[in-house]
Amino acid sequence: MTLFGVEEVLPRGNEAELTGPRLREQVEQEADALSATVGEDPQALRGRLLKLVNLPRLSDTDDHDLREVLRELRVCEQEGKAAYRARLQRVTRVDRPAGIAQLPRPRSVKPASGAGACGLCADGYAVGELIGRTPSPDELPYIPMGWLCWHCLVQRRRHPRRRDVLLRFFHALFAGDGVGLNGMECGLLLEWLTADPALPNSKPWKADPLENTLVRLRTSAVDGKPTTWLSTRTVHTIIAVLREVPASPASTVQDEEVLAALVQHLAEWETNPAAVPASRYGTSWRFRRQVLALTEHPTVLSQLGGPFFLYQCTTTKTGQLVEPT
């Protein structure tokens, strides 16, 4: 079954298989078809689509935008003239947490036209649940993610889950710097590191004691600090400690999946099993990106985008990193 339990809503195959120019051409064709069906000028209908994704030109859209637009066009075709104007609207008011947990204002928010998976945490979302896109690379130095679930879009730093903290570890280590956590994230990490008495007895903890780190995490949580920086070495130790002991009852399957993937990729960046030439890529984010792309065992982290803090990177309009020359 597909959208709203109706098989015919997506009658022409799976739009997820379309990419690039073919996807854009398909959107253009189906926009023209819908304009004829509902009796609206094609340019006026394209204007509705641009408002939906909150972009000035259709050429500014990436594949993530276009797939959602294509799903909307097919749902509108199914529902007919009476409903399409109401559907082609984004949510203009977004209540975001204030203070140290506030995330950038989303570029676009709308009810999901179909079931999908969050472009950051990979959790599924259902038809009608609010999803959104983060600001474009022109506004923030991020590799564009797909449509995010509501939690990742606005709540992940106010009400962090364990895998949210792990994802922040991954993104910061990808860029090669230390990791900055806010007070809520520090409180969650503190609880995680102190919940099991076996953790201080693990080999990684004994090799690189974390007692001073616990004091810093506790202070940050109590004082509500906006950013507490952990060094790369400390984060590596924390990850090794968490991986050393059996899964905590408070950890979900998704938490353990992200943790295992993080351990794998850290090892790959250190050992370089794909023999990525350092002479071409260096040892910075370009190297780590290439190792990630060439991994023989793709993980949830190697298959998703992410807000990597790549302030000096160059991306194309579709969000692909420009290779070094």
Side-chain angles (χ1 to χ4, degrees):
M1 302 297 282
T2 54
L3 306 176
F4 310 111
V6 179
E7 288 288 350
E8 293 77 20
V9 171
L10 301 179
R12 291 175 291 279
N14 186 359
E15 73 280 353
E17 298 175 359
L18 296 175
T19 60
R22 289 182 59 242
L23 176 59
R24 195 172 299 278
E25 181 181 356
Q26 188 70 30
V27 169
E28 293 280 357
Q29 291 175 356
E30 298 199 21
D32 289 339
L34 181 63
S35 68
T37 299
V38 300
E40 179 159 27
D41 179 76
Q43 292 306 313
L45 190 138
R46 281 174 172 72
R48 294 186 186 277
L49 297 179
L50 291 175
K51 289 181 180 178
L52 181 69
V53 295
N54 197 20
L55 289 171
R57 297 171 298 274
L58 202 59
S59 60
D60 293 330
T61 55
D62 61 14
D63 283 2
H64 298 297
D65 291 322
L66 291 172
R67 290 192 186 100
E68 182 67 17
V69 166
L70 185 56
R71 284 190 287 266
E72 283 289 351
L73 289 171
R74 293 178 177 180
V75 174
C76 289
E77 182 183 39
Q78 179 71 30
E79 295 187 345
K81 187 173 183 178
Y84 90 99
R85 292 189 179 185
R87 287 203 63 88
L88 299 185
Q89 292 184 3
R90 63 185 174 90
V91 176
T92 56
R93 177 177 175 80
V94 179
D95 292 325
R96 298 175 296 155
I100 64 173
Q102 189 169 88
L103 288 160
R105 185 178 299 279
R107 184 243 293 170
S108 180
V109 175
K110 65 179 295 296
S113 60
C118 175
L120 178 57
C121 74
D123 278 7
Y125 54 77
V127 176
E129 292 183 4
L130 288 180
I131 58 174
R133 296 298 308 275
T134 56
S136 66
D138 293 336
E139 300 175 64
L140 290 174
Y142 293 170
I143 298 173
M145 294 170 282
W147 292 85
L148 302 192
C149 68
W150 187 249
H151 171 83
C152 286
L153 198 65
V154 298
Q155 294 291 340
R156 58 188 164 88
R157 303 205 68 192
R158 170 66 70 183
H159 303 290
R161 305 164 300 187
R162 291 187 172 186
R163 64 183 178 277
D164 294 326
V165 172
L166 294 175
L167 287 168
R168 289 189 66 77
F169 283 173
F170 179 65
H171 298 150
L173 294 176
F174 187 101
D177 298 322
V179 179
L181 302 178
N182 69 23
M184 279 79 82
E185 293 162 334
C186 286
L188 182 144
L189 183 58
L190 175 67
E191 182 276 331
W192 197 355
L193 290 172
T194 57
D196 190 334
L199 291 178
N201 294 320
S202 64
K203 291 181 180 179
W205 191 308
K206 289 184 175 181
D208 184 18
L210 294 174
E211 280 76 14
N212 289 339
T213 299
L214 296 184
V215 172
R216 296 183 63 225
L217 293 175
R218 185 173 289 107
T219 300
S220 179
V222 171
D223 295 345
K225 291 186 176 180
T227 307
T228 295
W229 288 98
L230 303 178
S231 70
T232 298
R233 175 181 173 179
T234 297
V235 173
H236 276 255
T237 299
I238 290 171
I239 293 167
V241 166
L242 295 176
R243 191 60 174 163
E244 185 83 2
V245 299
S248 164
S251 294
T252 66
V253 172
Q254 294 95 327
D255 297 336
E256 292 301 313
E257 181 183 24
V258 172
L259 179 58
L262 184 48
V263 170
Q264 173 188 317
H265 293 308
L266 290 180
E268 289 172 337
W269 295 341
E270 182 176 352
T271 61
N272 190 17
V276 175
S279 60
R280 180 182 181 190
Y281 293 97
T283 58
S284 63
W285 62 266
R286 289 183 174 91
F287 171 84
R288 289 184 284 277
R289 174 179 176 265
Q290 190 68 5
V291 173
L292 199 67
L294 296 177
T295 178
E296 292 185 359
H297 307 284
T299 70
V300 64
L301 295 181
S302 55
Q303 295 168 331
L304 294 172
F308 307 123
F309 291 92
L310 306 179
Y311 286 93
Q312 297 179 346
C313 75
T314 301
T315 62
T316 65
K317 286 187 176 181
T318 58
Q320 300 298 311
L321 285 175
V322 176
E323 294 287 356
T325 57

